Amino acid sequence: MMRKATQAKGLAKADELYLDRTQRARELQKEGKKVIGYMCCFPPVEMITALDMVPLRIMGDVNEPITKADSYVETIMCSFVRSCFDLAMKGKYDFLDGLVIPHSCDTVLKIYDLWTHYKPLALNHYLDVPHMLQPASAEFFKVALGRLQNALEQVAGAELTDEKLCQAIELHNQSRALLRQLYHLRKIDPPLITGREVIRLVTVAMTIPVREANELIQEVIKEVGNRQGNRSGKKPARVMVYGTDIDNEAFIKLVEDCGANVVVDDICTGTKAFWHDVEITEDLLDGLVDRYLFKTNCARTYRESPGNYLADMENRFGYIRDFARDWQVDGVVLYVIRFCDTVELDVPDVRDYLQGQGYPVLHIEDDYMATNVGQLKTRIQAFLETIS
């Protein structure tokens, strides 16, 4: 059932939209807008916005037991991806006009085949993304983006002009700048906004038109700015969360309830999705290739390092150390969804690198289910006691 829209603003509006993250997209669709679902960080949302359609990030539901999907996929697959597919099989994404799924990992690729076979939409597009970063990779991905452009133009019934794409890039860059501004407010001790509030806002921003997202983020920045001088939110430890798709508040809330301020992240629904802008280049596709292929820090992408092991670690994970240093964290929690082999294979190196930089690390592997989160309380409390 669609919730009744209210005139709430700022965090109250984000909370309202968080409780039904497809609500606004379905409202807009009834008004005639087309909605395109997409997975992961690789599809350029600017193309969808430029064609006057609404990009909507596909997310799962930790509170919804996975039942339908397990009739089609093995239970040893990533539970986040299974949850997304489960919602699709239950008809909760039937309202979409199109679906763009990138080859971010083999599990996502498998889901593309199943989803588009059992629940085909007007647009079913597979975006091939190179795993290696070489000059030929850029050429390959540019061709792939050209195919995506053609597919989106067909479902939109309009041409994607440079003028429209440039305007969309500027709008999404503005959104990224606002989110970075919001994250900088977390450098203050105590942070002006909690990790729980941030994850609600950031995930909601991925489900509404970018102009509305920018207005909402601006409202939140103004609202939390009034918290300056309030020390009541200070907790014994400042923590960074590294991981995969954390698209709900359950785990972040648990860490904060255990006695930490979650002040920064390196997750697919956090900084990975918005930290870098798209450069306005002469050929706009070149800017999109650079941003989405080369600047998206994902464990599935191989980055060649010319030096030794230590140089390789610095090349791959130096940006995580920079986050930890700049946000003055006391420790890092590596939160990986079980059977996400892509990220899990990176964890030993990430852990060794961060510990070598002097940061205590807690590694947690968990299923994508709200009922499991509470079982982690003792481990998190013990970790926080050692770093507080």
Side-chain angles (χ1 to χ4, degrees), residues 63-79:
N63 298 303
E64 174 88 23
I66 298 174
T67 53
K68 293 279 187 182
D70 288 348
S71 299
Y72 302 88
V73 297
E74 303 89 345
T75 54
I76 56 170
M77 289 175 67
C78 165
S79 48

Side-chain angles (χ1 to χ4, degrees), residues 228-241:
Q228 285 274 13
N230 184 348
R231 308 291 295 171
S232 61
K234 183 174 174 60
K235 297 185 177 180
R238 294 170 62 85
V239 166
M240 175 179 179
V241 174

Side-chain angles (χ1 to χ4, degrees), residues 3-72:
R3 295 171 184 271
K4 185 178 179 180
T6 71
Q7 298 303 312
K9 290 183 174 294
L11 291 171
K13 184 173 183 178
D15 288 348
E16 177 186 282
L17 293 171
Y18 175 81
L19 295 176
D20 185 357
R21 290 185 291 201
T22 61
Q23 170 192 351
R24 182 59 184 144
R26 285 180 283 128
E27 287 176 353
L28 290 167
Q29 194 180 49
K30 285 188 175 180
E31 296 170 8
K33 289 274 190 180
K34 291 183 177 176
V35 181
I36 305 297
Y38 68 96
M39 293 190 77
C40 300
C41 297
F42 294 101
V45 289
E46 290 87 349
M47 286 184 168
I48 301 170
T49 296
L51 286 164
D52 200 26
M53 300 188 291
V54 180
L56 181 136
R57 176 109 178 204
I58 299 294
M59 301 184 200
D61 186 349
V62 292
N63 298 303
E64 174 88 23
I66 298 174
T67 53
K68 293 279 187 182
D70 288 348
S71 299
Y72 302 88

Side-chain angles (χ1 to χ4, degrees), residues 95-152:
F95 70 94
L96 293 175
D97 296 287
L99 179 68
V100 180
I101 294 186
H103 185 193
S104 49
C105 67
D106 288 349
T107 300
V108 171
L109 175 61
K110 175 74 172 178
I111 290 302
Y112 169 80
D113 292 334
L114 292 169
W115 191 327
T116 55
H117 177 76
Y118 290 106
K119 290 284 185 178
L121 300 168
L123 168 68
N124 307 285
H125 192 83
Y126 165 67
L127 177 62
D128 209 350
V129 185
H131 282 274
M132 302 182 73
L133 301 183
Q134 299 172 340
S137 307
E139 296 177 22
F140 182 95
F141 193 51
K142 187 174 179 179
V143 172
L145 292 188
R147 291 174 178 158
L148 174 61
Q149 176 178 336
N150 293 337
L152 290 171

Side-chain angles (χ1 to χ4, degrees), residues 275-295:
W275 202 251
H276 298 288
D277 285 343
V278 174
E279 184 182 351
I280 303 291
T281 49
E282 183 174 352
D283 184 336
L284 296 175
L285 289 188
D286 290 331
L288 294 174
V289 168
D290 181 62
R291 162 61 179 79
Y292 283 92
L293 180 60
F294 287 85
K295 293 181 179 174

Side-chain angles (χ1 to χ4, degrees), residues 95-359:
F95 70 94
L96 293 175
D97 296 287
L99 179 68
V100 180
I101 294 186
H103 185 193
S104 49
C105 67
D106 288 349
T107 300
V108 171
L109 175 61
K110 175 74 172 178
I111 290 302
Y112 169 80
D113 292 334
L114 292 169
W115 191 327
T116 55
H117 177 76
Y118 290 106
K119 290 284 185 178
L121 300 168
L123 168 68
N124 307 285
H125 192 83
Y126 165 67
L127 177 62
D128 209 350
V129 185
H131 282 274
M132 302 182 73
L133 301 183
Q134 299 172 340
S137 307
E139 296 177 22
F140 182 95
F141 193 51
K142 187 174 179 179
V143 172
L145 292 188
R147 291 174 178 158
L148 174 61
Q149 176 178 336
N150 293 337
L152 290 171
E153 286 176 335
Q154 287 184 22
V155 75
E159 180 185 358
L160 180 59
T161 64
D162 281 355
E163 182 182 3
K164 290 178 181 176
L165 183 55
C166 190
Q167 290 172 352
I169 290 172
E170 290 174 346
L171 274 173
H172 282 278
N173 280 346
Q174 181 186 356
S175 187
R176 295 175 180 117
L178 287 168
L179 287 172
R180 290 195 297 269
Q181 182 181 346
L182 186 75
Y183 268 54
H184 285 300
L185 297 179
R186 305 170 80 184
K187 288 181 174 177
I188 300 168
D189 190 23
L192 299 188
I193 184 168
T194 68
R196 172 178 171 270
E197 290 170 330
V198 167
I199 198 68
R200 282 187 169 219
L201 175 64
V202 174
T203 54
V204 161
M206 296 176 178
T207 64
I208 59 180
V210 64
R211 291 182 190 277
E212 295 183 18
N214 291 351
E215 182 179 348
L216 178 60
I217 300 166
Q218 286 174 321
E219 290 173 0
V220 171
I221 290 173
K222 182 178 180 181
E223 180 179 344
V224 301
N226 294 327
R227 295 174 177 174
Q228 285 274 13
N230 184 348
R231 308 291 295 171
S232 61
K234 183 174 174 60
K235 297 185 177 180
R238 294 170 62 85
V239 166
M240 175 179 179
V241 174
Y242 162 96
T244 48
D245 286 273
I246 300 178
D247 64 358
N248 62 88
E249 66 175 18
F251 181 72
I252 303 293
K253 182 177 182 299
L254 175 65
V255 175
E256 294 190 323
D257 287 348
C258 287
N261 291 123
V262 176
V263 295
V264 69
D265 63 69
D266 181 42
I267 58 177
C268 303
T269 42
T271 56
K272 285 185 189 300
F274 69 80
W275 202 251
H276 298 288
D277 285 343
V278 174
E279 184 182 351
I280 303 291
T281 49
E282 183 174 352
D283 184 336
L284 296 175
L285 289 188
D286 290 331
L288 294 174
V289 168
D290 181 62
R291 162 61 179 79
Y292 283 92
L293 180 60
F294 287 85
K295 293 181 179 174
T296 300
N297 287 305
C298 180
R300 50 82 69 197
T301 302
Y302 174 73
R303 297 174 185 276
E304 187 173 1
S305 294
N308 56 20
Y309 173 77
L310 293 177
D312 180 50
M313 293 298 100
E314 185 66 28
N315 183 47
R316 291 162 60 194
F317 309 126
Y319 75 96
I320 303 176
R321 183 269 325 280
D322 292 345
F323 278 143
R325 179 197 60 210
D326 295 346
W327 271 258
Q328 299 182 51
V329 307
D330 301 301
V332 181
V333 178
L334 311 182
Y335 181 77
V336 183
I337 295 173
R338 186 166 287 119
F339 302 125
C340 178
D341 296 340
T342 304
V343 174
E344 196 68 79
L345 287 170
D346 249 6
V347 162
D349 285 340
V350 174
R351 181 185 56 216
D352 290 350
Y353 175 78
L354 290 173
Q355 288 177 336
Q357 297 290 324
Y359 295 101

